Amino acid sequence: MNQRSASDQQSISGTARLAIVNIGQLATLADESDAPALRTGPRTRPRIGPAMRSLGLIADAAMLVENGRICATGRYADLRRQIPADATLIDADQRLVTPGFIDAHTHLAFAGNRAAEYEQRIAGATYQQIAASGGGIQSTVRLTRAATDAELIAQTRRHRDWLLRGGTTTLEAKSGYGLNTETELRLLRTLAALNAEGSVRIVPTLLAAHTVPRELADYRAEYIRSILDDLLPIVARDGLARFCDAFCDDHAFTVDECRTVLAAAARHGLGLRIHAEQFRPGTGAALAAELRATTADHLETIDDATIDLLRDAGVQPVLLPASAFCLSRAEYPPARLMIDSGLAVVLATDFNPGSAPAPSMAFTLSLACLHMRMTPAEALTAATINAAHSLGLADEIGSLVPGRQADFLLHEITDYRELPYFAAAPFRPRVFIAGREVTP
Ligand code: NIG
Ligand code: FE
């Protein structure tokens, strides 16, 4: 893998101590499960039901950061005397500060794009028709296999920087456009190389079971065998993924095939996520409950009884309204019913070259509010602390609580409701990761 050149270094600046003062509205996302508000304290819980609407807001606030970690939040008037003399002061000018967005479902690493298929879909072809005729995921696989390591890193870095500019400080990223051992490993190593750059934190997921590669269309079992026998042992040995995902769909893998892959991944110590019920009920959500997966993602067509199964198994739904939007679908996942049923809902972009070429978390929040009737507060919770839970990182990120990593956004706006309200606005928050300002 190529080292990045000096010319594309991101500018990262900051000192050991920071004081963000004169914050009009500080959304800490803290709740009583954070007490005693120390990293050594009890595990914070995912937010469910009415707790999703509680943002731990502090008006006229300040926040102190030391060595990349939050050391205090509170009223500016109360914290004023605790500001160390050598701290770098940042005047928030009465604007909003939130945790950085945590995008818990992306397909960040791929070559090329599918703007030509976008045009075909506008002319009337469906996503599934395009996939059935060798386009769709398979066309991105062809381009990805043909790309050099350097090209893959450069394009994936570009995607990461789009997300970063919109305020994403941690993202989950899946492989899935290699569909053979060599290229799936190259994709995971691309993600590892970007993770080492000290910018956005990347949580890698193996999605070799994204679809059956074209050359093995008549040998599905052989492809699955190669995931189990060749790929998973290397991924586990080299620590290249924290999760394993599978796409359960009529054009991808059956429930039984997904069970085979995911159960094997669990034996290798990977957490489980699954693309489920995107186009038809009965495609994977019950399996997620059976396997006690960490998340079940998409769920546009899930029925009420299966929602209860997810809740009872503690599976977090990861909802991807930008993929419904970009496919011009009328069906969005039933977020209202999920929240009212007590599920710890997560929102993510699903950024990918086919169904969701939409990298903005703020736009995802707008869609969640307008098409899924989530409140702005629920949407922000789903995009921060609940997303952190779904990545096993809630004791580290997702809320602005003493002891946590100082990943936060200083917005151009003054009230959290403006985040979804100004739809597709070209806002550029100031982005801080581990207390350092990061500018792509
Ligand atoms: O999450 N559903 C399957 N996978 C992606 C789309 C992948 C693609 O079209 O390239 C998704 O929507
Ligand atoms: Fe996806």
Side-chain angles (χ1 to χ4, degrees), residues 371-419:
H371 288 282
M372 300 174 1
R373 308 189 68 80
M374 288 175 69
T375 69
E378 289 167 343
L380 186 56
T381 298
T384 54
I385 188 66
N386 276 6
H389 269 283
S390 84
L391 298 174
L393 293 171
D395 287 339
E396 182 69 6
I397 53 172
S399 60
L400 302 176
V401 169
R404 301 273 149 70
Q405 181 164 306
D407 290 6
F408 63 94
L409 308 176
L410 172 49
H411 295 272
E412 295 173 40
I413 52 183
T414 57
D415 183 302
Y416 72 88
R417 291 170 296 192
E418 296 170 53
L419 271 174

Side-chain angles (χ1 to χ4, degrees), residues 105 107 114 127 137 177 210 247 275 278 298 350 352 354-355:
H105 182 138
H107 305 250
R114 307 222 294 271
Y127 180 66
I137 294 171
Y177 294 111
H210 197 185
F247 184 14
H275 283 68
Q278 184 179 6
H298 275 290
D350 196 20
N352 75 67
S355 62

Side-chain angles (χ1 to χ4, degrees), residues 26 36 134 153 170 175 205 261 293 312 435:
L26 176 63
I153 290 185
T170 292
S175 67
T205 294
V261 172
D312 296 345

Side-chain angles (χ1 to χ4, degrees), residues 12-18 20 63 65-70 88 90 404-408 431-438:
I12 299 176
S13 61
T15 60
R17 295 175 207 268
L18 275 184
I20 301 88
M63 182 165 77
V65 172
E66 192 170 327
N67 294 325
R69 304 228 159 241
I70 293 163
T88 301
I90 297 176
R404 301 273 149 70
Q405 181 164 306
D407 290 6
F408 63 94
V431 181
F432 294 79
I433 296 177
R436 296 194 304 176
E437 186 159 14
V438 184

